Amino acid sequence: METNTENMSLEMLRDQVAAFKERLDKQEIINDRLIRQAMKSHVSWVKNMNTWVSVVGLLFLPLLIFVLNSIHASWLNIAFITVMMIGEIIFNFYNVHTINDKLMSEGDIVTVRHKLLAYKRREMIQTMIEIPLIILWLVWLILDAYYGGSSPSTAGGAVSLGIGGLIGLGIGAYLFFREMRSLNRAIHVGDDFSNEQP
């Protein structure tokens, strides 16, 4: 009789452990899904912003070349900013494609976090190189158009373009800091997951 009761108790305990394990597995799946959704929501804004900035830059480039030509900027000056913008567009497309949707949906969370850190590092290096070059180009443009132009209106156009460039730098700085904030939030979600791992 006692053996029968012990067997029933043991069977009930096994059932409870199995049910508990099943609940834990479901909880892990839900946690993983929530972590991925949180990371994806932060990263999707970054990817969309970089894609649209690249498309707008590509569409804006012929207009910029026309304006620079109309204020008699040197061809070397025009070639410099053209190469820089094309380089920026190529870099943006490359960097955005390093974080693909398949990786975000199916990849190991820790690997995704490392990819985001590498993405962030590349963006910061690119920005540290690009900002001084843009400032140098703006100064060069103003001097080039002012001293090389044939009329006062040409110099005025260069100054106006320089002011427009500074406004563009301000917008670029805002987008950069917003991008870094979104990346930091996505990385923080990955940090939380890494800390929960045994």
Side-chain angles (χ1 to χ4, degrees):
M1 185 77 175
E2 277 183 33
T3 308
N4 214 6
T5 307
E6 286 176 8
N7 284 343
M8 285 179 54
S9 296
L10 189 59
E11 193 61 39
M12 284 177 57
L13 187 59
R14 282 184 188 146
D15 289 345
Q16 288 174 351
V17 168
F20 181 70
K21 189 177 181 311
E22 187 180 334
R23 278 203 314 263
L24 274 179
D25 289 344
K26 285 181 183 174
Q27 187 64 39
E28 282 178 18
I29 290 168
I30 290 168
N31 283 346
D32 184 71
R33 193 175 304 141
L34 290 174
I35 287 167
R36 287 179 192 283
Q37 284 175 352
M39 290 178 91
K40 271 174 137 177
S41 69
H42 295 304
V43 171
S44 67
W45 184 88
V46 170
K47 290 175 71 173
N48 288 335
M49 186 271 299
N50 275 298
T51 301
W52 282 107
V53 164
S54 297
V55 169
V56 169
L58 197 58
L59 295 174
F60 179 70
L61 186 57
L63 176 64
L64 179 63
I65 291 170
F66 173 77
V67 170
L68 291 174
N69 197 28
S70 70
I71 63 167
H72 305 291
S74 68
W75 280 104
L76 189 59
N77 188 292
I78 295 170
F80 178 81
I81 195 63
T82 301
V83 168
M84 228 174 92
M85 284 184 73
I86 290 171
E88 160 83 13
I89 290 165
I90 291 169
F91 174 80
N92 276 348
F93 278 120
Y94 161 75
N95 212 19
V96 162
H97 284 86
T98 60
I99 306 171
N100 57 33
D101 290 333
K102 185 175 181 183
L103 175 72
M104 294 296 292
S105 299
E106 300 169 11
D108 177 23
I109 299 286
V110 177
T111 303
V112 172
R113 182 184 165 279
H114 288 302
K115 291 267 189 185
L116 291 176
L117 284 169
Y119 178 98
K120 180 182 171 184
R121 196 175 313 111
R122 285 190 300 269
E123 280 290 315
M124 292 178 80
I125 290 169
Q126 179 233 5
T127 302
M128 287 189 295
I129 292 169
E130 197 172 71
I131 297 283
L133 287 176
I134 290 173
I135 292 170
L136 175 71
W137 173 76
L138 285 172
V139 171
W140 179 16
L141 172 67
I142 292 169
L143 294 174
D144 194 23
Y146 187 79
Y147 290 111
S150 56
S151 69
S153 64
T154 301
V159 171
S160 299
L161 196 59
I163 291 169
L166 289 174
I167 292 169
L169 268 176
I171 293 169
Y174 167 76
L175 291 174
F176 174 75
F177 287 118
R178 176 138 186 228
E179 176 184 24
M180 288 299 111
R181 191 171 63 229
S182 293
L183 282 171
N184 286 336
R185 287 178 180 164
I187 291 165
H188 180 69
V189 170
D191 286 341
D192 289 345
F193 178 81
S194 299
N195 292 337
E196 288 173 9
Q197 296 290 62

